[in-house]
Amino acid sequence: MSYLKIDHVDKTFQRGATSTPVLKDISLEIEKGQYVSVIGHSGCGKSTLLNIIAGLTPITAGAVLLEGKEVRDPGPERAVVFQNHSLLPWLTVYDNVALAVNKVFGGRKSKAERHDWIMHNLDLVQMGHAKDKRPAEISGGMKQRVGIARGLSMEPKILLLDEPFGALDALTRAHLQDSIMQIHATLGNTMIMITHDVDEAVLLSDRIVMMTNGPSARIGEVLDVRLARPRKRLDLVSDRTYIAAREAVLKFLYERHRFVEAA
Amino acid sequence: MGRAVLKEVETGATVVALPGAKPGVVPLPAPARKPISSRLLPGLRAVLVNVLPPLVTVALIALFWQIAASGPQSSLPPPTKIWEEAKDLIVEPFYWAGSQDIGLGWRILVSLQRVAIGFSLAAIVGVLLGALVGQSVWAMRGLDPIFQVLRTVPPLAWLPLSLAAFRDSQPSAIFVIFITAIWPVIINTAVGIRNIPQDYRNVAQVLRLNQVEFFFKIMVPSAAPYIFTGLRIGVGLSWLAIVAAEMLTGGVGIGFFIWDAWNSSRLSDIIVALIYIGVVGFVLDRLVALTGSIVTRGTLTN
């Protein structure tokens, strides 16, 4: 039995009398510890898919099963790293993570243990030094690091990342990609990441799920990226498997399922 | 000319290491501390720039008033006469010479106490009702039209009804404050809560915060800037209402003092009381604004 099973999921948005089919017959199985990327053009419903797994968006038909149990509502075992970090601006970096840790581990860990766990997670993303800063006082990349620390601190079964590096500049993005690879190697988390960056998908993922254009988007292809870990971005530039994987994704996105501009 | 400058820049750009000179940081001589007068001067200047213009305006108004009210048929007293007649009220706000012969400071405190009770109740009930209306579409549909109608009722129109209900002037005055201040608090809180970004709601959902945790950890801090706007309007309205209410209910407050002074033709006392009321209202407004800016520090910037 697979760790996460997405079983024939349909999603249709209803607004008044008009209904818009967004996702059609999505089926996917993800093993424990896998890093899976979902890639597709904007508007294809990949964020909707992530929200469905998170439980934030109700399903029209089908089911999502985590360890055989149906997912119906959001919960900390499926932590989300939001695209725009979604840190609470009135709380310090430390308190943002503490909000999650105190809620999830309030009954199970002592105060000192929780403090250590918060600091451990902040150190994991190299943000321990900024624990007393507020989100407005740190850079975009740092905010996203704290967002990741908050997600990890819930000790989720699956970490869901919604275009986590989309709003960052290229250098910061590369830096954070290295960090997330490191964390994945250390903790062995199962992670699902939404992205529209082909290089990012190939670099980070064990599998790349390519989605067709909406409405009624489907899973077009699933590509296994058979690259050894740890991966080094510079070594991969000339690596044949890397180039082939990159080409496969690019061809899918720009040849067979080119983005059609809505009139 | 341009060429010459360019040349100079070019030659200046090449750094020649002097023989024997160690590369490193050359300590600059510590700048001498400026004399205290020149350091204080900018601060003093800022104070003068802000304080001087209103002082000049007040002086001009007083002068104009003095001239205008000095005639023998003038119905209002000029500033000099006010000073003569009401000096004790101005210089000694906290004297106590019997139950009705007390300083304006005491009267203001009595009025402030009523405002404090009525306004605190309005703040608590207003935030809770505002949260309900902001959070639930059905609560909004059901309650919002009623709020919109009731909030246009002038404060004093509630007084006879509350006198009938409470059969006592003290709770009636407090009720008038309450009912005056509550509407802006409700409406602003509701708007603030409707404006909570979906992201924060998602965070709360992923963490499975319960209703109480969501209220205190997400709703109130997120809507705090709006709530404080409502509170600020509310405290201003309460202060407007208490003076009017006290004129009718009697007792010790500043409102009744004005009414009493009118009945005994002490115009100077009325004018002094008006200035007291204005200053206290200003301070109240600033206090709420200050509290708001401290509490919502960080909330507005993201």
Side-chain angles (χ1 to χ4, degrees):
Chain A
M1 190 182 66
S2 52
Y3 196 57
L4 179 81
K5 184 170 178 165
I6 302 168
D7 197 7
H8 300 283
V9 163
D10 288 357
K11 177 66 195 172
T12 306
F13 279 113
Q14 286 282 352
R15 179 175 288 175
T18 56
S19 61
T20 324
V22 182
L23 297 173
K24 183 81 194 147
D25 203 22
I26 304 280
S27 288
L28 186 66
E29 299 195 4
I30 291 170
E31 300 304 323
K32 192 170 182 175
Q34 263 189 345
Y35 197 113
V36 177
S37 290
V38 180
I39 198 166
H41 292 291
S42 48
C44 75
K46 46 190 196 299
S47 283
T48 308
L49 179 59
L50 193 89
N51 284 341
I52 284 174
I53 302 170
L56 291 165
T57 301
I59 305 174
T60 309
V64 174
L65 300 152
L66 178 61
E67 286 188 313
K69 270 189 277 179
E70 189 172 359
V71 167
R72 289 187 174 278
D73 48 8
E77 79 279 1
R78 282 160 285 117
V80 186
V81 176
F82 296 96
Q83 182 173 9
N84 55 354
H85 67 77
S86 293
L87 299 178
L88 304 175
W90 55 87
L91 296 180
T92 61
V93 162
Y94 180 90
D95 288 335
N96 263 289
V97 181
L99 179 70
V101 170
N102 291 338
K103 178 66 193 174
V104 177
F105 298 104
R108 277 181 281 161
K109 287 186 182 193
S110 73
K111 209 174 169 197
E113 281 173 329
R114 276 180 273 152
H115 169 78
D116 291 345
W117 179 241
I118 295 164
M119 287 316 295
H120 170 78
N121 279 286
L122 284 174
D123 289 336
L124 208 59
V125 294
Q126 292 123 46
M127 284 302 294
H129 62 92
K131 69 181 177 69
D132 295 323
K133 293 226 162 82
R134 281 168 200 276
E137 298 163 351
I138 57 179
S139 71
M142 289 164 120
K143 283 180 208 165
Q144 204 50 276
R145 282 177 187 276
V146 179
I148 292 168
R150 180 174 63 184
L152 290 170
S153 74
M154 302 176 208
E155 226 166 37
K157 289 177 177 162
I158 296 190
L159 187 65
L160 304 167
L161 304 122
D162 188 1
E163 297 194 32
F165 317 127
L168 305 176
D169 66 273
L171 290 176
T172 312
R173 193 185 307 171
H175 214 67
L176 271 175
Q177 286 164 351
D178 292 341
S179 291
I180 207 91
M181 274 198 284
Q182 181 102 46
I183 288 165
H184 185 231
T186 319
L187 304 179
N189 296 51
T190 314
M191 301 195 188
I192 301 178
M193 176 179 72
I194 304 294
T195 182
H196 49 231
D197 182 331
V198 177
D199 291 298
E200 179 172 284
V202 179
L203 176 68
L204 297 178
S205 315
D206 298 310
R207 286 162 80 203
I208 302 175
V209 175
M210 291 172 258
M211 295 189 57
T212 66
N213 286 320
S216 299
R218 297 170 292 106
I219 292 179
E221 279 174 40
V222 179
L223 179 78
D224 285 315
V225 184
R226 296 181 203 284
L227 283 167
R229 288 181 191 269
R231 297 171 184 175
K232 295 253 162 53
R233 120 186 7 255
L234 281 179
D235 301 348
L236 290 178
V237 173
S238 51
D239 187 293
R240 255 189 225 175
T241 324
Y242 179 82
I243 294 170
R246 203 170 169 275
E247 192 185 351
V249 180
L250 283 171
K251 279 195 168 158
F252 177 90
L253 288 177
Y254 297 104
E255 243 175 46
R256 275 162 283 160
H257 297 278
R258 215 170 329 152
F259 183 57
V260 203
E261 198 92 42
Chain B
M1 184 67 195
R3 188 167 279 261
V5 171
L6 192 68
K7 188 89 174 179
E8 206 172 87
V9 170
E10 273 171 3
T11 48
T14 45
V15 177
V16 183
L18 293 169
K22 274 190 210 154
V25 182
V26 181
L28 290 169
R33 274 178 86 79
K34 289 177 181 168
I36 194 155
S37 60
S38 73
R39 270 185 289 139
L40 276 180
L41 214 56
L44 197 67
R45 212 183 115 82
V47 170
L48 279 180
V49 162
N50 284 311
V51 168
L52 210 54
L55 282 182
V56 170
T57 319
V58 167
L60 283 176
I61 291 173
L63 186 70
F64 177 75
W65 181 0
Q66 182 73 33
I67 295 165
S70 282
Q73 306 101 336
S74 166
S75 53
L76 293 176
T80 47
K81 198 171 168 211
I82 296 171
W83 177 254
E84 282 164 28
E85 290 183 357
K87 194 178 164 199
D88 54 336
L89 288 179
I90 300 167
V91 296
E92 237 186 312
F94 290 101
Y95 74 87
W96 190 291
S99 67
Q100 268 305 325
D101 189 14
I102 56 176
L104 279 182
W106 293 116
R107 293 181 187 275
I108 291 271
L109 281 181
V110 169
S111 299
L112 275 178
Q113 191 196 359
R114 293 193 181 117
V115 168
I117 298 170
F119 178 68
S120 305
L121 285 174
I124 295 165
V125 178
V127 168
L128 289 174
L129 273 177
L132 180 69
V133 172
Q135 187 70 356
S136 148
V137 178
W138 282 108
M140 188 190 74
R141 286 181 190 160
L143 291 171
D144 194 56
I146 298 168
F147 291 164
Q148 297 297 343
V149 170
L150 288 184
R151 81 186 172 93
T152 63
V153 175
L156 279 193
W158 291 101
L159 190 60
L161 201 62
S162 57
L163 279 171
F166 294 110
R167 295 165 192 280
D168 187 11
S169 63
Q170 178 76 354
S172 304
I174 290 171
F175 175 78
V176 169
I177 300 304
F178 169 82
I179 205 77
T180 309
I182 197 167
W183 309 117
V185 180
I186 292 177
I187 290 164
N188 280 282
T189 304
V191 171
I193 277 159
R194 246 172 270 146
N195 281 335
I196 295 175
Q198 186 59 40
D199 297 329
Y200 301 169
R201 295 181 184 275
N202 285 347
V203 170
Q205 277 189 285
V206 168
L207 286 175
R208 292 209 177 115
L209 297 184
N210 60 40
Q211 290 289 319
V212 177
E213 288 167 327
F214 183 67
F215 180 78
F216 284 109
K217 292 187 172 166
I218 309 281
M219 253 192 199
V220 170
S222 180
Y226 293 88
I227 294 175
F228 272 95
T229 305
L231 290 178
R232 206 173 155 185
I233 301 170
V235 83
L237 290 180
S238 331
W239 194 236
L240 293 182
I242 188 67
V243 174
E246 281 173 351
M247 282 186 175
L248 297 180
T249 58
V252 178
I254 187 82
F256 178 69
F257 174 83
I258 291 180
W259 196 243
D260 193 38
W262 165 242
N263 283 331
S264 17
S265 305
R266 301 195 310 268
L267 287 180
S268 300
D269 289 7
I270 296 179
I271 290 165
V272 173
L274 287 189
I275 293 168
Y276 266 89
I277 291 170
V279 170
V280 171
F282 174 78
V283 170
L284 276 182
D285 180 68
R286 285 304 152 105
L287 268 181
V288 176
L290 183 73
T291 317
S293 68
I294 292 169
V295 171
T296 62
R297 169 177 39 110
T299 307
L300 286 172
T301 51
N302 195 350

